Amino acid sequence: MKPVRVLAAALAVGAGAILLLVPVRHHVVVESSATNPVRHLRIESRSLVGLRRPGWGVAVTGAPVWGNAREGFFLRAEQPVQAMVTAWPGFRQSLSMDASPAITLALSEEGDRQAFRTWFVALLEQQVEAPSPAWEPAQRDCAGLLRFAFREALATHTAAWRERVAFTSGAPAQDPSPGFVRDWRAGFPTPDGPQPFAKGAYLRRFACEFLGRDLQLAKPGDLIFFARGGAHAQPDHAMAFVRPDVDGAPMLLYHTGPEGSGVRTQPGEVRRARLDDLLHHPDPDFRPLPENAAFLGLYRWRLLVNGPSDLSSAPRS
C-alpha cells in the first residue's frame, strides 16, 4: 500500500500547487492614446498566493479584436462597441468603448489624391530597375516596398530629395499638399503608436480600407493582400496595382522577399505581374480569386478614401 500512499500524497501536493496558481482575481486594463487608433486590452490575474499571470480561458466577444491572453488583445473600432471580457473561473466584465481615434483625414482634393497615386506608382516602378539607395536593404520585402514608396510619395520632391532617392525621371505630378499629410508623415499606425516601420498586417488593418474582392474596382496605387496559413503560417504578402500594360491589361508590382535560407539566402527582387497571369498562378494561394481563402481582398490607402462613397459595402476583413 506504500506506493499508493506515495501516489496519493503526490497527487495532493500537485492539486494544492494548482489551486495556489489558479487565478482568482482578474482586472481588465485598457491602454489607449488620443493619437493611436489601436487600443490594447490586458487582463491582469492574481492567484491565491498573489502570483500574477495571464488569465486562463480569456476571451473577448462583441468587438473585432485580435491577440491572446499572454500578449493582450488589440482593438480598432470604427464605431462605439460593447465588449465582454470573460476568464476562468467565472469572470465576466462588460466594457463600453468609444470609436477609436482616427489617424488623419484623407487628402481632401482629388488633385492631391491623384498626385499621391502618381508618385507612389512612379516610386514603385523605379525599384524594378534598381533599388533606391534610400530604401534600406533590411526592409526590402513586400511590406517594405510599400512603406518606402508611401513615405517618399509624401516627401517634398526637391533636388536634394532626388539625389538621396536617386530618382532620375521627370516629376510625374505635383506634390500632395503637405498640410493634409502631417499625421501620416509621423509614421504608420501600429499597436505601439505611429511608427516608421509597420509590418504588412498593420498596414492592411490600420493604414488601408477594405474595398472587397472585386478587382475591377482597383486603381493604380491600390493593394491586394494574401495571408498564407497552414502549419507554418507566413506573414501577409502584398502587391500593388501600377500602370496598365501597353495593351491596357492591369499590372501589379511586388517584392518577392528574401528567398532561400541560411548561407543560401538571396535578397529577392521587385517583379511585375499581369493580373491575368496572377489569376492562373502555379501556387493557388496567390490567385486573387473570391474562392481563395488566402486572398484577403482589395485595399486602398486610408488617405485616399474621401468618404463612404469611395468604399464598398463589404465588411473589413
Side-chain angles (χ1 to χ4, degrees):
M1 296 294 293
K2 187 174 180 180
V4 175
R5 288 197 297 271
V6 171
L7 178 59
L11 291 174
V13 171
I18 291 175
L19 287 174
L20 292 177
L21 295 174
V22 168
V24 294
R25 289 187 177 181
H26 303 281
H27 178 58
V28 179
V29 178
V30 180
E31 298 174 346
S32 62
S33 168
T35 60
N36 186 4
V38 184
R39 290 189 175 93
H40 187 196
L41 279 63
R42 293 187 294 107
I43 292 81
E44 295 182 348
S45 301
R46 289 191 179 188
S47 69
L48 287 172
V49 294
L51 177 66
R52 294 186 180 183
R53 52 156 296 123
W56 291 359
V58 176
V60 181
T61 57
V65 300
W66 71 99
N68 54 54
R70 182 174 296 277
E71 299 176 355
F73 294 88
F74 300 96
L75 163 72
R76 177 186 154 219
E78 302 288 347
Q79 299 177 348
V81 296
Q82 189 78 23
M84 178 64 68
V85 181
T86 58
W88 188 87
F91 174 79
R92 293 172 61 86
Q93 181 174 335
S94 178
L95 294 176
S96 297
M97 289 176 283
D98 295 332
S100 298
I103 178 172
T104 300
L105 295 174
L107 294 169
S108 61
E109 298 294 332
E110 177 59 29
D112 283 332
R113 295 195 293 274
Q114 187 58 42
F116 171 84
R117 285 185 184 278
T118 304
W119 275 105
F120 178 70
V121 168
L123 283 156
L124 289 174
E125 293 181 329
Q126 179 200 35
Q127 309 314 306
V128 176
E129 302 302 327
S132 167
W135 183 15
E136 298 179 25
Q139 296 198 28
R140 290 179 186 173
D141 57 18
C142 64
L145 174 63
L146 301 183
R147 291 192 302 267
F148 169 76
F150 183 99
R151 181 174 59 250
E152 299 300 344
L154 295 179
T156 302
H157 303 115
T158 62
W161 174 87
R162 286 176 168 273
E163 182 176 358
R164 178 178 65 83
V165 177
F167 191 87
T168 57
S169 302
Q174 65 181 12
D175 287 358
S177 300
F180 293 102
V181 296
R182 189 174 297 111
D183 288 347
W184 289 109
R185 291 176 190 271
F188 299 97
T190 76
D192 298 317
Q195 300 289 333
F197 175 89
K199 60 184 181 181
Y202 292 162
L203 294 180
R204 175 172 58 85
R205 287 179 181 272
F206 310 134
C208 297
E209 291 286 355
F210 179 56
L211 298 185
R213 290 176 171 80
D214 182 1
L215 298 187
Q216 293 186 359
L217 299 174
K219 298 179 180 180
D222 288 345
L223 315 175
I224 57 176
F225 285 87
F226 300 85
R228 304 185 71 187
H232 304 286
Q234 300 183 26
D236 279 14
H237 184 65
M239 301 181 179
F241 279 90
V242 291
R243 289 180 294 181
D245 207 349
V246 291
D247 61 357
M251 293 287 294
L252 295 103
L253 189 145
Y254 65 99
H255 193 282
T256 61
E259 300 176 313
S261 60
V263 296
R264 297 184 177 182
T265 300
Q266 298 296 317
E269 61 183 4
V270 179
R271 295 177 182 172
R272 299 178 188 270
R274 288 170 62 97
L275 178 59
D276 289 346
D277 294 337
L278 197 60
L279 292 170
H280 300 90
H281 195 282
D283 186 342
D285 280 352
F286 284 132
R287 296 173 187 169
L289 297 169
E291 61 269 23
N292 176 15
F295 172 51
L296 299 178
L298 176 67
Y299 288 77
R300 180 164 295 163
W301 293 110
R302 290 180 66 86
L303 84 170
L304 294 175
V305 176
N306 196 37
S309 62
D310 287 350
L311 300 174
S312 87
S313 58
R316 291 182 62 86
S317 82

